[in-house]
Amino acid sequence: MSRNGKLATDLVQKLERDIVTGVLKPGDKLDERSLSERFGVSRTPVREALQTLAGSGLVATMPRRGTIVASITVADLIEMFEVMAELEAMCARLAARRMARTDIEKLMALGDECGTLQEHADADAYYEANVNFHEVIYAGCRNSFLERQTKNVRNRLAPYRRLQLHRPGRVKKSNAEHSEILDAISNGDAERAGRLMHQHVAVQGEALNDLLAIVPRGYLEPLAS
């Protein structure tokens, strides 16, 4: 990999993290000159990084506005959560069949960490542990293509999944759901693990209405009339 290619890859990871953690919010402008100055690199790796992020849907190029952090429509949000639930359910089913004992022990440790954090009612700290919990399951499915695709969709939905945890009672409920998923995986019950994970990730009915109510202005594009 060329030096510019490596720099671009590093920038993609840094900008992804800024987007999924809310440092950069939907609608924020991503100016090549400002980013090159911020990260101390030329514009070439910045341009390559933005092209990669555009391919994953995290940024968009808008007429007269340049490159911005992307927002999505309500319809897009519903569809993406639908796909996310199916992908994560597949990961959980395969992980229940394929995950090594050492990975299950790591998952148990992360489950304990999530349990500790939910007592502090710190939604953002819990979110970080929650990401780690899910990523162990992704890896445990032993299907690298599925793991990559699941992470790609997860990254696109990350700002909204983080916001979900700010709903009253959601952190506690999420942790309880983790315990059930962990029990199913550790006992090799693939169908139950998949079903529980689908329920854990899916957003519909009252949960969807609650999420839409707390999404800040600018995160979602208005629906076309």
Side-chain angles (χ1 to χ4, degrees), residues 151-217:
K151 284 183 177 180
N152 285 341
V153 181
R154 187 276 313 277
N155 285 346
R156 186 67 183 88
L157 282 173
Y160 308 94
R161 294 183 73 167
R162 177 185 286 273
L163 284 169
Q164 274 187 291
L165 293 173
H166 288 270
R167 289 164 42 210
R170 179 55 197 164
V171 167
K172 185 175 182 179
K173 189 171 187 297
S174 172
N175 186 62
E177 291 167 356
H178 279 181
S179 296
E180 293 183 337
I181 292 166
L182 176 54
D183 179 71
I185 290 175
S186 62
N187 284 299
D189 191 338
E191 291 309 310
R192 179 168 175 255
R195 183 178 69 255
L196 290 171
M197 181 63 85
H198 192 283
Q199 293 170 353
H200 177 62
V201 176
V203 175
Q204 52 194 344
E206 290 184 358
L208 175 61
N209 291 333
D210 290 343
L211 174 60
L212 295 178
I214 63 173
V215 171
R217 189 181 185 88

Side-chain angles (χ1 to χ4, degrees), residues 31 60 108 142 169 208 215:
D31 178 69
M108 289 177 173
R142 299 293 189 272
L208 175 61
V215 171

Side-chain angles (χ1 to χ4, degrees), residues 17-37:
R17 181 163 183 81
D18 281 355
I19 292 169
V20 303
T21 58
V23 174
L24 291 170
K25 297 179 172 57
D28 283 355
K29 187 171 182 179
L30 299 173
D31 178 69
E32 285 185 14
R33 184 176 66 180
S34 298
L35 290 174
S36 65
E37 291 174 354

Side-chain angles (χ1 to χ4, degrees), residues 44-73:
T44 299
V46 171
R47 192 174 301 116
E48 291 180 9
L50 293 178
Q51 288 172 350
T52 298
L53 291 170
S56 67
L58 282 172
V59 306
T61 301
M62 307 293 289
R64 297 184 297 281
R65 293 184 64 189
T67 302
I68 62 170
V69 178
S71 56
I72 60 179
T73 66

